[in-house]
Amino acid sequence: MMPKVYVIGAGMTVFGSFPQAEVHELARDAAWEAIKSAGVHPRKIEVCYAGHAYQGPCFGQKALCKIGITGMPVFNVENACASGGSAISGVFTMIKAGAADVGIAMGGEKLTSPSGGFLPIVADDLDSSMGRVMPAGFAMIARRHMEIYGTTLEQLAAVSVKNYRNGLINPRCHMKKNISVEDVLNSPVIADPLTRLSCCPVSDGAAAVILASEKVARRYTDRPVELVASVLNSGKRTKYGLIHERSEMSIRAAKTAYEIAGLGPSDIDVCELHDPFNIAEIIHYEDLGFCGEGEGGRFVAEGKADLDGEVAVSPSGGLLAKGHPLGATGVAQVAEIFWQLRGEAGERQVKGAKVGLSHTVGGGVSKIESGACSVQILKI
Amino acid sequence: MMPKVYVIGAGMTVFGSFPQAEVHELARDAAWEAIKSAGVHPRKIEVCYAGHAYQGPCFGQKALCKIGITGMPVFNVENACASGGSAISGVFTMIKAGAADVGIAMGGEKLTSPSGGFLPIVADDLDSSMGRVMPAGFAMIARRHMEIYGTTLEQLAAVSVKNYRNGLINPRCHMKKNISVEDVLNSPVIADPLTRLSCCPVSDGAAAVILASEKVARRYTDRPVELVASVLNSGKRTKYGLIHERSEMSIRAAKTAYEIAGLGPSDIDVCELHDPFNIAEIIHYEDLGFCGEGEGGRFVAEGKADLDGEVAVSPSGGLLAKGHPLGATGVAQVAEIFWQLRGEAGERQVKGAKVGLSHTVGGGVSKIESGACSVQILKI
């Protein structure tokens, strides 16, 4: 019988633009907050998985040794936007394996660089070289969703409005602004129909969580949050093209996670999902089973994803408002769910939240079989 | 009781300079050879760890989907020169955990680039910015070893001569040349006392191995090679400086691996160790316990590391001759040990080899607490 795994502490930096900070300093700060909040002695931490996409060799070791933590096995893991979620899965499996009782999953990224925050274009990435960069790919998904399901520009905008509204009451959020549907529609076009307020900002930041086996978790806290499932997979090409390929991977990961947890979509009280663009949040409502296929636009417009809705989605502000420092994102999502389930989320607290889900998708827009999807289910 | 883990198949590309090849094509070729040699259906592979240091997002998925393998969890792992060894440890632990019965560990790197194969200098890497690049750091270690222990230039050269001699009979080796001690001493100085033939070449290549639990290993082969221990750790700063810091990490990893295996240095018949520079092989003889402290120079000069010596070290040609495509290296080492223990190493076969050890060290020369060390022990 494999041991249960618990989250016993969490930390994250404010997400934002910190051009002067070293990424390892950001990760150090997040790790230290997580360690302090767990009340665990650093020597008790047996393994580290550190997620990042563009931060150079031995990211995790460089962050940890800034607080004098050296010697342990560190796996630096990368899965594009799902790097942080992959770090969670790595530590989760180590503890399930009995290879460790306490581990740290961390992630960080510095996307604001001297050259303005542009990511390198990979030599073999024909999509990006030919102009189908991420916003363009998601714009095509949005147009397709509008055409097939009648999703409207106002419904897309409603996602941004909701997430900015949540972010405004999250002290760690990057974009702090009260915006309306009209603001979203009237902001500069990035890739039609997506405007600037339909897209996540370019952010720096880091996050960390401490995971522990059931054997030791209650030594550190009487309110551990169980990490019931942590599922990582990679994409498969489908015959239905763009929109369905991203969804296929998410649907499959969520299905596995629900099965492991013995829970379903209606059990989820709070959710942090992968919303780098407002259209992404809409398709993922559907993928995660919060509404039927094609109903995502109405779901958000009717307030069902609000803090007091059927399921509170992106209470932290999500990638759209809180920010999306790639390697940090999946870890920060688990931190947010941890705080929500413990009732420690302050003004943005989802009342009575007992079960939460986090979800990230990484990798190319079209070459989806080279992407990754990460889903976690947590409960208290 | 945790299940035993076995290597059931291995593959690798020839290491060399392949500027026209895409790194994912190299990794695909290695993975496909490993899969075929194991006789395992791709659908039976449940998890992938893919090691690389500089190859961009979702390296493992991109390689696997080129042979139509999609959908599984892929952890792309990075630990500088120990990235490949980390991939081995990742799959090893997953199988120990019961999270998978069959997994693939792969690694690849393309270091010959349009700009001439130079690696990016990381912004916070003061050492490299100030000129203490890898060859300079190892030159300092060599001078110190010569001063303390009386190691000679000829002994350093003997490592290169031995490894080039082994590489000459390995069809997958990059540098194919018969060299003498004089050739090494007279080749151009890179960082005194290290000459060009004291340093590994800039190589491209990939490698892969298939690992399986004891439950299923014998379905695929009647000669599985047991992966008895797979240890990953990170560095600790010591009060003794440069030379001892690299050693401390290696000594500690080897000690743990020997303990797990219930074996000692005298049991090792064949060893692939981390020899990016000839001095590194000398200090690692000592770290791994093949000879006493300071005796590494004499050990190699007396032929004790030859194919028919006390322990055959770098039978493949090692990093020095075979090449060192970072992410591939640790995986290629395990492939070589697998072939040696199965008696499939052709002309370079170490006679009667029953137990083998592989070892890589990754990370900065001086900031060693941000490095990683990987040690594997295998037996048949």
Side-chain angles (χ1 to χ4, degrees), chain A residues 19 28 120 238 330 344 356:
Chain A
R28 168 202 65 193
T238 76
E344 297 171 356

mmCIF file of all heavy atoms in Angstrom, chain A residues 19 28 120 238 330 344 356:
data_model
loop_
_atom_site.group_PDB
_atom_site.id
_atom_site.type_symbol
_atom_site.label_atom_id
_atom_site.label_comp_id
_atom_site.label_asym_id
_atom_site.label_seq_id
_atom_site.Cartn_x
_atom_site.Cartn_y
_atom_site.Cartn_z
ATOM 1 N N PRO A 19 13.498 42.936 -13.021
ATOM 2 C CA PRO A 19 14.679 42.783 -13.885
ATOM 3 C C PRO A 19 15.993 42.745 -13.120
ATOM 4 O O PRO A 19 16.961 42.168 -13.607
ATOM 5 C CB PRO A 19 14.599 44.002 -14.815
ATOM 6 C CG PRO A 19 13.632 44.942 -14.178
ATOM 7 C CD PRO A 19 12.704 44.118 -13.344
ATOM 8 N N ARG A 28 14.994 31.034 -4.122
ATOM 9 C CA ARG A 28 15.416 30.929 -2.721
ATOM 10 C C ARG A 28 14.331 31.490 -1.794
ATOM 11 O O ARG A 28 13.969 30.868 -0.794
ATOM 12 C CB ARG A 28 16.708 31.736 -2.526
ATOM 13 C CG ARG A 28 17.112 31.957 -1.090
ATOM 14 C CD ARG A 28 18.050 33.163 -0.959
ATOM 15 N NE ARG A 28 17.377 34.412 -1.330
ATOM 16 C CZ ARG A 28 17.998 35.562 -1.541
ATOM 17 N NH1 ARG A 28 19.303 35.647 -1.461
ATOM 18 N NH2 ARG A 28 17.313 36.651 -1.859
ATOM 19 N N PRO A 120 13.667 32.526 -26.558
ATOM 20 C CA PRO A 120 14.394 32.109 -27.755
ATOM 21 C C PRO A 120 13.503 31.260 -28.653
ATOM 22 O O PRO A 120 12.710 30.460 -28.178
ATOM 23 C CB PRO A 120 15.550 31.274 -27.195
ATOM 24 C CG PRO A 120 15.108 30.858 -25.834
ATOM 25 C CD PRO A 120 14.216 31.941 -25.327
ATOM 26 N N THR A 238 -4.638 14.157 -32.604
ATOM 27 C CA THR A 238 -5.956 13.598 -32.905
ATOM 28 C C THR A 238 -6.323 13.989 -34.327
ATOM 29 O O THR A 238 -5.689 14.838 -34.931
ATOM 30 C CB THR A 238 -7.044 14.147 -31.969
ATOM 31 O OG1 THR A 238 -7.358 15.479 -32.386
ATOM 32 C CG2 THR A 238 -6.578 14.163 -30.525
ATOM 33 N N GLY A 330 3.006 26.022 -12.179
ATOM 34 C CA GLY A 330 2.358 24.813 -11.663
ATOM 35 C C GLY A 330 2.529 24.647 -10.164
ATOM 36 O O GLY A 330 1.661 24.101 -9.483
ATOM 37 N N GLU A 344 -6.697 29.899 4.291
ATOM 38 C CA GLU A 344 -5.686 30.932 4.532
ATOM 39 C C GLU A 344 -5.524 31.876 3.350
ATOM 40 O O GLU A 344 -4.472 32.495 3.185
ATOM 41 C CB GLU A 344 -4.329 30.253 4.825
ATOM 42 C CG GLU A 344 -4.333 29.390 6.084
ATOM 43 C CD GLU A 344 -3.062 28.549 6.243
ATOM 44 O OE1 GLU A 344 -2.196 28.576 5.344
ATOM 45 O OE2 GLU A 344 -2.957 27.851 7.276
ATOM 46 N N GLY A 356 -9.675 20.675 -4.244
ATOM 47 C CA GLY A 356 -9.175 21.570 -5.282
ATOM 48 C C GLY A 356 -8.437 20.826 -6.377
ATOM 49 O O GLY A 356 -7.985 19.689 -6.182
#
